[in-house]
Amino acid sequence: MNKQDNILIIGAGLCGSLLALRLAQRGYKVSVYESRPDLRTVDISAGRSINLALSDRGFKALRLAGVAEKAREICIPMYGRLIHDIKGNTFSSNYSGRDNECINSISRGDLNAILLTEAEKHENVTIHFNKKCTSVNIENTIAHFKDYHTKEEFSINSDVIFGTDGAGSVLRKSYYLERKFLFSYSQNYLSHGYKELEIPADKKGNHQISNAHLHIWPRGAYMLIALPNMDGSFTVTLFLSYDEGEYNFDNLTSEEKITEFFETQFPDALKLIPNIKEEFLNNPTGALGTVKCSPWHYKNKTILLGDAAHAIVPFYGQGMNASFEDITVFDAVLNENLGDWETVFKTYEKARKHNTDAIADLALDNFQEMKNHVANPLFKEKRILEMALEKEFPEEYFSKYSMVTFKDDIPYAVAMKKGRAQDKALLNLVADADFKQTDNLRNLLKKVQEETNEILQEDEIAGL
């Protein structure tokens, strides 16, 4: 393991481009191969989520690479959710009781472009576009590619290969096809898919609804969400079952049925989406899945990072942040000067795997919360109490959401374990017939903390 090793990165998306930048800053020689065209010159966003939620864990990695401020310039802060009920009424729910804590809507393409440009400033980085990886010989670290333009097939021999090629990773596929080692792999899809629509800017180029919120239209079996863009528009995403329920992607095939669906279920959103029928019929339907696998590495030769190792559903807004945190953790392992790539890979995976499993599970939990629970009166009461505790005791109380989103020093696995126990304690409290929101907050905090600790102890005894 030395700075002269030829490092090959498969995939120049968000994770791959940040990894290339950070390795280059450390003095490594890096070649990156990407199947898509250069997004700085071609629009390739169709069918993919074009804006994402950037939060503290992501910013920590961007600061490490020196690009946090460039990213912040293209962010729109969102301070909470704005819930839209079926009658068009709205109510807001802040993400935190502390002042100025927010998540940030950011363009996937614009952020990726910043990272690519910064990486290319280093003479020890080369990035190749329109080169699709078809397979990887993991034993000999040879990656096989096909050029989209020339149709030429070629191979690249390297010392170590990083797979940051997303949920459909070719490197991960090579792990189980080559059968060189015991490799566990699961890919589980939701029964729901997603379709993207758009709320355009008004005639003056302004946002038509609040751009300080992430908007949610929860309907139990399905939901809409909307995130603001810099140009005054909103990217709207419909999450809907493929084939279950009165309305699903399989039966929404006519303009009449589509109109009926939105008129009855999302009347206020429908007024803001002028091209609803054309967009619905023409925009692709995407799948939502979770990938877990182990081990992520093979000897001292290859390793998976980002979605290639741990793709998750988008409902905690942590997919990009988790991938960026991979870079933070990997960089910290490199600081240990462990001497060889295999030891680095093993140490990194041991530190990281249980946390990426945790955020995958939390993202699935939040799917239920967003489409069902946010409009539940008991959930609302619990959330009001959480916000009051965070506001009154900003250094003593952190909700599960805050631990995941705003506390980059708390590992995902710890946030999940403590957050679930805390949620149970809070719900028990607000469901108590004697509970009053006007009770002394210090006493309420003490009750929540005591019951949380009891639940954690019970879980430990039960082996949970």
Side-chain angles (χ1 to χ4, degrees):
M1 177 182 177
N2 61 68
K3 300 293 176 69
Q4 300 309 309
D5 286 342
N6 288 313
I7 294 175
L8 170 63
I9 297 176
I10 303 172
L14 292 168
C15 184
S17 54
L18 180 59
L19 175 64
L21 172 58
R22 187 60 193 144
L23 289 176
Q25 290 170 341
R26 296 187 71 105
Y28 290 97
K29 182 180 179 182
V30 181
S31 297
V32 188
Y33 283 78
E34 167 60 46
S35 63
R36 296 168 297 169
D38 186 344
L39 53 72
R40 293 167 293 182
T41 60
V42 178
D43 180 12
I44 57 171
S45 63
R48 305 189 77 217
S49 178
I50 66 170
N51 54 2
L52 302 166
L54 178 61
S55 54
D56 288 38
R57 294 175 196 269
F59 269 119
K60 184 176 182 178
L62 295 174
R63 284 195 302 273
L64 178 67
V67 292
E69 292 313 307
K70 282 186 170 66
R72 200 175 293 279
E73 290 173 2
I74 58 170
C75 283
I76 301 177
M78 299 180 293
Y79 294 92
R81 299 165 172 169
L82 192 68
I83 315 302
H84 301 247
D85 71 16
I86 201 163
K87 296 179 180 178
N89 301 311
T90 62
F91 65 91
S92 63
S93 175
N94 286 350
Y95 286 127
S96 170
R98 283 170 291 276
D99 292 337
N100 299 318
E101 282 190 335
C102 63
I103 62 176
N104 299 275
S105 180
I106 191 168
S107 161
R108 174 197 294 271
D110 290 348
L111 178 56
N112 207 160
I114 288 172
L115 296 174
L116 289 170
T117 299
E118 289 299 312
E120 283 187 328
K121 289 179 180 178
H122 296 265
E123 60 181 20
N124 49 333
V125 174
T126 56
I127 304 176
H128 309 266
F129 297 97
N130 295 299
K131 309 291 190 291
K132 178 177 175 56
C133 185
T134 55
S135 66
V136 180
N137 180 325
I138 61 175
E139 187 65 55
N140 298 305
T141 55
I142 300 173
H144 304 288
F145 293 90
K146 183 174 183 179
D147 188 302
Y148 272 126
H149 290 321
T150 67
K151 311 303 180 185
E152 171 196 4
E153 295 182 1
F154 61 97
S155 300
I156 300 295
N157 199 338
S158 56
D159 295 306
V160 61
I161 298 175
F162 288 78
T164 56
D165 47 340
S169 171
V170 174
L171 178 57
R172 191 183 66 238
K173 184 178 179 181
S174 297
Y175 278 9
Y176 62 77
L177 288 180
E178 289 203 19
R179 300 180 183 275
K180 296 287 185 181
F181 61 108
L182 295 176
F183 179 64
S184 299
Y185 165 65
S186 68
Q187 184 165 352
N188 298 307
Y189 289 101
L190 291 181
S191 60
H192 284 57
Y194 72 95
K195 188 182 289 287
E196 294 202 335
L197 310 165
E198 183 188 43
I199 295 175
D202 66 18
K203 293 180 180 179
K204 295 182 179 180
N206 299 319
H207 294 96
Q208 296 194 58
I209 51 180
S210 169
N211 67 349
H213 293 88
L214 184 151
H215 295 260
I216 307 179
W217 291 258
R219 298 296 181 264
Y222 38 81
M223 67 174 171
L224 279 179
I225 69 169
L227 276 74
N229 297 311
M230 296 286 284
D231 64 359
S233 67
F234 281 82
T235 300
V236 181
T237 308
L238 170 67
F239 298 97
L240 179 69
S241 173
Y242 285 104
D243 55 12
E244 297 176 355
E246 180 182 359
Y247 298 107
N248 56 66
F249 280 123
D250 283 357
N251 67 25
L252 291 178
T253 55
S254 68
E255 292 189 0
E256 292 75 20
K257 188 78 172 178
I258 295 165
T259 301
E260 174 194 315
F261 175 51
F262 279 88
E263 283 180 342
T264 58
Q265 303 303 307
F266 309 106
D268 58 334
L270 178 61
K271 295 174 183 177
L272 302 170
I273 310 175
N275 300 317
I276 181 70
K277 288 173 282 192
E278 294 85 351
E279 290 182 13
F280 194 96
L281 292 172
N282 294 324
N283 291 355
T285 302
L288 297 163
T290 300
V291 169
K292 292 182 180 180
C293 64
S294 177
W296 293 341
H297 74 282
Y298 177 62
K299 296 182 178 179
N300 63 341
K301 301 172 183 291
T302 66
I303 188 166
L304 303 167
L305 274 79
D307 284 355
H310 50 78
I312 64 176
V313 294
F315 303 107
Y316 228 113
Q318 286 295 304
M320 170 181 61
N321 294 287
S323 292
F324 282 177
E325 192 173 62
D326 284 359
I327 311 301
T328 305
V329 176
F330 190 80
D331 191 76
V333 173
L334 288 177
N335 286 339
E336 296 180 31
N337 297 314
L338 298 173
D340 64 87
W341 285 114
E342 186 167 17
T343 305
V344 167
F345 294 164
K346 284 182 177 178
T347 304
Y348 163 72
E349 187 168 344
K350 185 176 181 180
R352 191 71 182 136
K353 175 75 166 68
H354 62 295
N355 288 309
T356 59
D357 285 350
I359 191 57
D361 294 343
L362 283 167
L364 290 169
D365 290 350
N366 225 37
F367 177 47
Q368 300 302 323
E369 178 176 311
M370 290 174 73
K371 70 187 180 72
N372 287 313
H373 303 158
V374 290
N376 182 291
L378 191 63
F379 179 89
K380 288 183 186 179
E381 198 169 1
K382 172 225 172 202
R383 194 64 182 148
I384 290 170
L385 175 57
E386 278 195 310
M387 293 300 96
L389 290 173
E390 286 198 331
K391 188 174 183 64
E392 185 71 18
F393 311 107
E395 300 301 322
E396 296 180 60
Y397 183 85
F398 295 87
S399 69
K400 181 177 68 180
Y401 187 89
S402 288
M403 285 188 280
V404 169
T405 307
F406 305 124
K407 291 289 288 179
D408 58 55
D409 59 334
I410 297 180
Y412 284 131
V414 175
M416 179 177 73
K417 189 174 183 179
K418 183 177 180 180
R420 283 176 170 175
Q422 202 167 257
D423 282 350
K424 193 181 295 185
L426 280 162
L427 286 169
N428 288 342
L429 183 63
V430 299
D432 191 316
D434 295 328
F435 169 73
K436 297 182 181 61
Q437 288 282 4
T438 54
D439 288 351
N440 180 277
L441 278 175
R442 172 58 72 180
N443 291 337
L444 291 175
L445 175 64
K446 185 178 178 182
K447 287 181 182 178
V448 171
Q449 290 175 332
E450 288 176 350
E451 185 163 354
T452 297
N453 289 332
E454 288 176 8
I455 293 168
L456 287 170
Q457 289 172 8
E458 290 169 359
D459 287 350
E460 186 174 349
I461 292 169
L464 298 176

